[in-house]
Amino acid sequence: YAEISKLLDKIRSVGMGGISADDDLAVEKLTKKLEGLESLQATMKAVNAYFRKHKTLDGCPELTPEQAEKLKADMAQSWHLDKSKPYPAYLLSNNNANIRRVRQRIEELSSRSEFAGWTFPGGEAKINEAENRLQLIFEEKPDANQRQELKSNGFKWAPSQGAWQRQLNQNAIRAAARIDFLRPEDGTSPYQLQPFVKRENKEMSR
């Protein structure tokens, strides 16, 4: 019981910043944490059910003989108020809260955008996931040559959005990267700023 309590305290921070969102393996690490938490929850429930049925921990398949003896000793302590179950309800409740927290973090990280916007001289490239569009917003109207280049690369003027735009996908990013006046001030290619490109580059360097 004491060992599991320490374990729960240790993993309580999971999903609250314990694993950085910038970590490429964040989802994988959190998934392993989740599996451990779910396994722990199942074990505690099974042990409680066995004790409720047999009124003893002897022969419990989820526990080694040593674990059973230690748990029986813990149950005999004065601080273990509920003698009807080896694992108190609050312990399962806390672990279940951690499970929900980790699941939510996994969902958040799994749904992160594959695309990132950027600023360029005189405007901004915006990722509009709600409209599924890469939008180019200019401080001033592009000149005739710029407008022609935008059209040649598949961008269309959308008065309702106040932006030049095209469907959001990797081809849209590549098209924008071909247009010099859409580059950030430092000259970086917008394509190299994208999360999916950074991830691919890291995987290739392994």
Side-chain angles (χ1 to χ4, degrees):
Y1 169 78
E3 291 175 356
I4 291 183
S5 292
K6 292 179 182 178
L7 174 61
L8 289 176
D9 288 337
K10 182 177 181 181
I11 63 181
R12 198 177 303 280
S13 64
V14 172
M16 300 295 289
I19 295 178
S20 172
D22 294 330
D23 188 340
D24 290 337
L25 299 177
V27 172
E28 180 180 337
K29 291 178 180 178
L30 285 169
T31 298
K32 290 182 179 179
K33 290 281 188 181
L34 178 60
E35 291 173 353
L37 289 169
E38 291 176 334
S39 176
L40 176 58
Q41 190 79 352
T43 296
M44 291 192 293
K45 286 183 177 180
V47 170
N48 279 356
Y50 184 91
F51 184 83
R52 184 167 57 250
K53 180 179 180 179
H54 300 281
K55 307 304 179 184
T56 180
L57 290 174
D58 295 336
C60 181
E62 280 75 21
L63 300 173
T64 65
E66 293 78 10
Q67 290 172 330
E69 290 301 319
K70 188 177 187 309
L71 197 49
K72 284 191 286 185
D74 287 337
M75 291 181 68
Q77 300 297 318
S78 59
W79 48 260
H80 201 297
L81 301 179
D82 188 353
K83 304 300 183 180
S84 66
K85 58 187 65 172
Y87 296 111
Y90 81 86
L91 196 58
L92 280 83
S93 178
N94 289 346
N95 190 54
N96 201 39
N98 282 325
I99 289 174
R100 291 195 300 270
R101 186 180 300 114
V102 174
R103 282 177 179 166
Q104 181 179 357
R105 186 82 188 282
I106 290 173
E107 290 177 0
E108 291 173 352
L109 294 180
S110 297
S111 63
R112 282 188 304 173
S113 177
E114 290 289 298
F115 306 99
W118 68 93
T119 58
F120 54 85
E124 175 189 6
K126 181 180 177 182
I127 305 299
N128 189 331
E129 294 184 340
E131 298 291 334
N132 194 32
R133 294 291 184 271
L134 170 61
Q135 297 180 326
L136 307 175
I137 302 173
F138 295 87
E139 295 174 0
E140 298 181 359
K141 183 179 180 179
D143 61 36
N145 290 335
Q146 290 175 329
R147 294 198 301 273
Q148 183 57 47
E149 190 166 3
L150 289 169
K151 293 177 182 177
S152 299
N153 282 281
F155 290 93
K156 297 181 179 180
W157 171 247
S160 62
Q161 298 290 323
W164 288 82
Q165 63 181 25
R166 61 174 286 175
Q167 184 177 355
L168 179 61
N169 52 36
Q170 294 188 17
N171 287 333
I173 301 297
R174 292 189 180 93
R178 291 194 295 267
I179 303 176
D180 288 338
F181 60 83
L182 296 182
R183 284 179 174 267
E185 291 185 354
D186 62 4
T188 304
S189 170
Y191 186 77
Q192 295 301 321
L193 298 175
Q194 303 307 306
F196 70 88
V197 175
K198 292 180 179 180
R199 185 178 62 252
E200 291 172 356
N201 290 341
K202 285 185 178 180
E203 290 176 352
M204 292 178 61
S205 64
R206 289 174 183 168

